[in-house]
């Protein structure tokens, strides 16, 4: 199964997140989308983020009628702050039968060099990147990065 992993704080989740997820399910080779709720993003100030259980509740409400989307709290069980590379390693161990595609915005792609083990992420994983106004994608020529018009 091909699973799109939509990482984020979802502070709070909104219709834009759903529009992107639905577009990816309709246009890309993805069977499901798992919203990976980050309890503590190392690149965001924690004081400006709602309590993780409040965000979880809102995300679950938002996705309750979406058969191919689910809220994942896998990062709640991992050390904080949450690092994408660590979550991916954990998911690969737990679900070895799945293939993963990482869903991010072009703003995150622009900042990916700040992520833990960014070189390994860019080398070993496929990315689906939705364009965000004002952000340039200067590494989009890589074969494992697909820029979406979502």
């Amino acid at each position: 199964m091909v699973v799109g992993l939509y990482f984020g704080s979802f502070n709070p989740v909104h219709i834009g997140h759903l529009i992107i997820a639905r577009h990816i399910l309709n246009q890309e080779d993805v069977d499901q989308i798992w919203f990976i709720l980050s309890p503590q993003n190392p690149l965001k100030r924690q004081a400006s983020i709602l309590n993780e259980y409040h965000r979880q509740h809102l995300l679950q409400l938002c996705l309750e009628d979406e058969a191919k989307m689910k809220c994942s709290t896998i990062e709640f069980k991992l050390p904080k702050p949450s690092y994408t590379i660590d979550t991916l390693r954990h998911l690969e161990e737990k679900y070895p039968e799945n293939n993963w595609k990482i869903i991010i915005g072009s703003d995150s792609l622009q900042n990916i060099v700040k992520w833990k083990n960014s070189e390994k992420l860019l080398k070993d994983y496929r990315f689906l990147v939705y364009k965000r106004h004002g952000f340039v994608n200067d590494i989009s020529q890589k074969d494992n990065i697909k820029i979406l018009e979502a």
Side-chain angles (χ1 to χ4, degrees):
M1 177 167 58
V2 178
V3 178
L5 299 175
Y6 198 169
F7 288 87
S9 299
F10 303 108
N11 187 45
V13 64
H14 54 74
I15 193 71
H17 295 121
L18 286 178
I19 290 170
I20 291 163
R22 286 180 186 139
H23 176 81
I24 290 170
L25 284 169
N26 290 329
Q27 302 296 320
E28 301 300 322
D29 178 27
V30 173
D31 300 306
Q32 291 184 355
I33 293 182
W34 297 0
F35 286 69
I36 308 295
L37 183 59
S38 239
Q40 184 180 351
N41 180 324
L43 299 178
K44 291 188 178 180
R45 287 181 350 169
Q46 196 60 27
S48 66
I49 298 178
L50 294 170
N51 173 283
E52 63 226 51
Y53 294 102
H54 292 220
R55 291 181 284 128
Q56 175 190 1
H57 179 71
L58 292 171
L59 186 54
Q60 287 171 329
L61 285 173
C62 190
L63 300 178
E64 67 186 358
D65 294 327
E66 301 289 344
K68 293 184 175 186
M69 297 181 208
K70 78 173 202 169
C71 172
S72 172
T73 57
I74 196 154
E75 288 191 348
F76 287 36
K77 300 171 190 89
L78 298 175
K80 292 178 178 99
S82 305
Y83 294 102
T84 302
I85 191 73
D86 298 334
T87 304
L88 286 164
R89 286 182 183 138
H90 186 76
L91 286 168
E92 288 172 334
E93 287 175 17
K94 192 168 181 171
Y95 305 100
E97 69 281 4
N98 289 346
N99 293 313
W100 311 104
K101 292 187 179 183
I102 302 168
I103 301 167
I104 61 174
S106 55
D107 55 331
S108 294
L109 181 61
Q110 188 171 305
N111 292 319
I112 202 163
V113 294
K114 297 178 184 176
W115 294 18
K116 179 181 176 183
N117 295 69
S118 61
E119 306 85 19
K120 181 165 179 52
L121 285 169
L122 289 167
K123 181 172 124 318
D124 294 346
Y125 296 94
R126 299 199 48 83
F127 284 80
L128 299 173
V129 181
Y130 56 91
K131 286 186 179 181
R132 303 236 7 221
H133 182 70
F135 294 92
V136 178
N137 299 302
D138 59 349
I139 60 172
S140 62
Q141 71 276 6
K142 291 187 177 273
D143 290 337
N144 61 334
I145 297 174
K146 183 172 182 181
I147 305 299
L148 307 176
E149 297 287 341

